[in-house]
Amino acid sequence: NSIVALVAPRSGRRVALREVGRVEAAAAEAAAAQRWVLEREGGGGLRSGDVVMFRAWTGNRLTLEGSEVHAKWNHSGTWQRFVVELKGGEVGDRVAPGSTVFLLGHTGNRMDVDAPDSPDVVQARWNHTGSWQELAILPRCADVAAEELPELLSTRAVPLPAAISARCGGFGVKMSCRHGFYAASPRTDFHALLYNDAEGKALLVLFDGDDAVLRTKEIFREEVRGLQFDPSA
């Protein structure tokens, strides 16, 4: 068993448990309401075709009743079981963390989350395999194996508006002047970098989701020592 989040890639919203067993799609946050224990039989990694259940912090499990998805009961029967289907994959294919999957319920319909015609709703109305039914099963960082990290991480080179400083002061960590301090927002695609340029000025650079520079601002003429803020503010 592992702790996971269920995310709709189309909107970024997550399956969350609210009061009295109500399940909805909510904005990402570090909350118990969005953490589910993935339960399945057998060992090894998750594979397409595996039958799974999702247990909430209350002890109740995701349940498909008709087309409604809720978590009112702690049952572990047919209504609580979903078949994981890897998009574009075959039965038995490994499901890497973050892969796009579908969750097939006992009715033959697949879960859809935060669909355009019903925002914030989690349900299973049709047997379609479209973007409305796409989900990603994201494990906690602590549960990710080292060999899986390359599949989850990517890097891109982004040109800076000014060269980074090569001169260092003496305020403790000698190389701190060459560090860049990074922050991203959990609510938007904005992200930011704060660093010392070659003239010793502290520059704050704000990027959009495509890594295009939105704004550059000189903050102060001091060496940068850290950055902690939400770029969406």
Side-chain angles (χ1 to χ4, degrees):
N1 296 347
S2 58
I3 297 176
V4 301
L6 294 174
V7 184
R10 186 184 53 78
S11 66
R13 297 182 78 78
R14 300 186 175 201
V15 176
L17 175 62
R18 299 308 187 198
E19 70 279 358
V20 201
R22 182 170 59 88
V23 172
E24 65 178 29
E29 58 183 32
Q34 298 182 4
R35 293 195 289 268
W36 302 88
V37 178
L38 188 154
E39 300 176 315
R40 66 187 183 91
E41 296 181 358
L46 183 65
R47 295 190 176 275
S48 187
D50 282 357
V51 178
V52 299
M53 295 183 290
F54 297 95
R55 176 164 46 85
W57 63 273
T58 60
N60 294 342
R61 295 178 175 88
L62 276 186
T63 298
L64 175 57
E65 183 179 8
S67 63
E68 179 190 4
V69 175
H70 62 77
K72 300 175 183 176
W73 309 318
N74 64 358
H75 304 173
S76 55
T78 302
W79 290 12
Q80 286 75 38
R81 298 177 187 272
F82 297 87
V83 179
V84 177
E85 300 175 313
L86 179 64
K87 181 181 179 180
E90 303 289 338
V91 172
D93 286 352
R94 177 174 168 271
V95 177
S99 298
T100 299
V101 300
F102 305 106
L103 292 180
L104 178 66
H106 68 96
T107 60
N109 293 336
R110 294 175 176 86
M111 192 182 300
D112 63 85
V113 176
D114 192 41
D117 70 335
S118 48
D120 298 343
V121 178
V122 179
Q123 54 202 333
R125 299 173 286 177
W126 308 302
N127 62 0
H128 303 173
T129 54
S131 63
W132 294 12
Q133 287 77 33
E134 291 179 355
L135 287 168
I137 300 176
L138 299 181
R140 294 185 307 174
C141 292
D143 294 330
V144 176
E147 60 270 17
E148 294 175 326
L149 286 176
E151 301 179 36
L152 294 176
L153 303 178
S154 63
T155 59
R156 279 192 287 183
V158 179
L160 295 177
I164 200 164
S165 174
R167 300 190 305 270
C168 298
F171 53 79
V173 181
K174 277 287 188 179
M175 298 302 293
S176 291
C177 58
R178 296 179 186 168
H179 292 172
F181 296 90
Y182 178 80
S185 172
R187 296 188 291 275
T188 72
D189 288 334
F190 295 130
H191 51 134
L193 180 69
L194 183 64
Y195 71 99
N196 296 304
D197 70 7
E199 298 179 2
K201 295 180 293 186
L203 290 185
L204 177 65
V205 186
L206 184 65
F207 301 92
D208 64 15
D210 296 320
D211 296 333
V213 175
L214 295 176
R215 187 177 180 188
T216 301
K217 183 176 179 61
E218 180 182 339
I219 303 300
F220 42 69
R221 299 187 64 86
E222 298 288 343
E223 290 177 326
V224 173
R225 304 190 186 197
L227 172 65
Q228 184 177 11
F229 81 117
D230 186 337
S232 68

